[in-house]
Amino acid sequence: MVHSMTGFASESGAAGGVSWTLEMRGVNAKGLDIRVRAPERMVGFDQKLKAQFQKNLSRGNINVTLRYEVDGAAGSLQINEAVLDSYLSAAKTVKDRAKAAGVNMDSPNAADILALRGVLATGDETEALPPEADALKTADKALKAFLAMRAAEGAALKSVLETSLDDVSRLVTDAAALAEARKDQVADALRTNLTRVLANSDGADADRVAQELAMLAVKADVTEEIDRLKAHVDAARDLLATKGAIGRKLDFLMQEFNREANTLCSKSGSTDLTRVGLDLKALIDQMREQVQNVE
């Protein structure tokens, strides 16, 4: 199955007064690069998530973001009892020392104590965080949705590439017919040139001249290029039917397609064959753009 490298998924979860959303975005890349943005206090979460994703992804630039917020009452003002006890203990010590020194001090009121730093805290300033196990389950759901989207886009890419390969095959068949039709014309031209050269060159080695003209005939022959293009079409179709990551192999094959099309144009020797070669090059360039998104 062909998979695209582009995709998006978003899944949410909630537990223990905390709700969160995990988003995944993917674009094409030469290798696999997973970047995770998560709360700093969730130590090690990013590594566990990467390990989870690397089992299912081969290529692509993947950005993962985990956002969370403390819900309802958990987000209201709360008293940090540990900090409050510290302040009260310190206040008692000060009052006792002052009394021993003969200094009268009024006890602080509740408003004074609540105004002290750290006594009051909101939910997001406490230890409330998405539970790691639950967040990883949310990530797993997002990954499945992400893979499903990549598969859907990959199916569309496969259809486009298969149609393009049909067009390439048709153009190669046209090129083969044009090349076959010009064989007699090329042979007649070479014989005429040979006669002309021999008639106007005293002392020329007829065998040597014939060898040179034969080499020119070989260089003008596009049979090998056409055969290679046919083989590349078959190889591309085989790859599209293969499981796993095939993007790099397809990209290399597109380079081979382009090389043969260039050679065909340079050796064409006729307007019609050149036109077919140029149509091939344009179609191959379109295929290469599509292949850049294949995993």
Side-chain angles (χ1 to χ4, degrees):
M1 180 181 293
V2 176
H3 285 80
S4 169
M5 282 190 281
T6 59
F8 172 80
S10 177
E11 293 289 338
S12 299
V18 181
S19 58
W20 61 87
T21 299
L22 187 140
E23 291 185 354
M24 292 182 64
R25 298 177 186 272
V27 295
N28 60 322
K30 291 184 178 180
L32 178 61
D33 182 15
I34 302 174
R35 302 180 182 181
V36 180
R37 295 180 61 186
E40 292 183 2
R41 287 188 291 141
M42 295 183 69
V43 180
F45 174 77
D46 57 338
Q47 296 302 319
K48 292 180 180 179
L49 189 142
K50 285 182 180 180
Q52 181 174 333
F53 285 3
Q54 285 169 350
K55 297 176 182 178
N56 297 275
L57 300 170
S58 299
R59 293 179 67 200
N61 190 335
I62 315 296
N63 287 292
V64 185
T65 303
L66 177 65
R67 299 185 180 89
Y68 81 100
E69 59 182 16
V70 180
D71 299 331
S76 62
L77 290 176
Q78 300 177 29
I79 294 178
N80 190 322
E81 296 184 2
V83 174
L84 174 62
D85 290 342
S86 296
Y87 278 126
L88 291 177
S89 177
K92 184 177 184 305
T93 299
V94 170
K95 187 174 181 180
D96 290 344
R97 295 287 295 274
K99 183 178 180 180
V103 178
N104 292 323
M105 295 188 64
D106 295 331
S107 297
N109 58 38
D112 293 333
I113 294 175
L114 290 174
L116 295 173
R117 183 177 179 179
V119 174
L120 284 180
T122 57
D124 57 357
E125 292 172 336
T126 64
E127 294 301 316
L129 281 173
E132 184 180 272
D134 291 336
L136 288 174
K137 289 180 181 178
T138 302
D140 186 59
K141 292 180 181 179
L143 176 60
K144 290 178 180 177
F146 183 74
L147 291 174
M149 184 174 183
R150 281 182 133 197
E153 291 197 8
L157 276 175
K158 180 181 180 182
S159 178
V160 170
L161 289 172
E162 287 176 336
T163 299
S164 295
L165 287 172
D166 290 340
D167 292 338
V168 169
S169 182
R170 175 180 55 79
L171 288 172
V172 172
T173 299
D174 292 345
L178 289 169
E180 183 66 28
R182 75 182 183 122
K183 279 186 176 181
D184 292 339
Q185 179 184 353
V186 170
D188 290 341
L190 287 172
R191 281 192 292 267
T192 300
N193 290 334
L194 175 58
T195 301
R196 184 181 297 114
V197 170
L198 292 176
N200 294 279
S201 57
D202 294 334
D205 185 346
D207 291 337
R208 179 61 179 171
V209 173
Q211 289 176 6
E212 292 294 334
L213 290 174
M215 291 178 65
L216 290 175
V218 171
K219 290 181 179 178
D221 186 13
V222 295
T223 301
E224 289 188 8
E225 286 70 28
I226 290 173
D227 288 343
R228 291 194 192 101
L229 284 168
K230 290 179 179 178
H232 293 341
V233 169
D234 291 339
R237 285 174 173 158
D238 288 342
L239 278 176
L240 290 176
T242 302
K243 294 182 179 179
I246 61 171
R248 289 180 179 175
K249 292 180 179 179
L250 275 177
D251 188 43
F252 175 75
L253 196 54
M254 291 303 108
Q255 296 176 39
E256 296 301 308
F257 266 110
N258 194 54
R259 182 178 293 108
E260 300 304 332
N262 282 332
T263 306
L264 180 64
C265 287
S266 66
K267 295 170 64 175
S268 66
S270 73
T271 302
D272 290 339
L273 193 52
T274 299
R275 175 183 53 78
V276 172
L278 292 175
D279 288 344
L280 271 172
K281 283 173 58 65
L283 186 55
I284 291 166
D285 282 342
Q286 293 174 8
M287 291 175 64
R288 289 185 71 178
E289 291 181 3
Q290 298 292 338
V291 166
Q292 298 307 310
N293 285 325
V294 176
E295 184 181 22

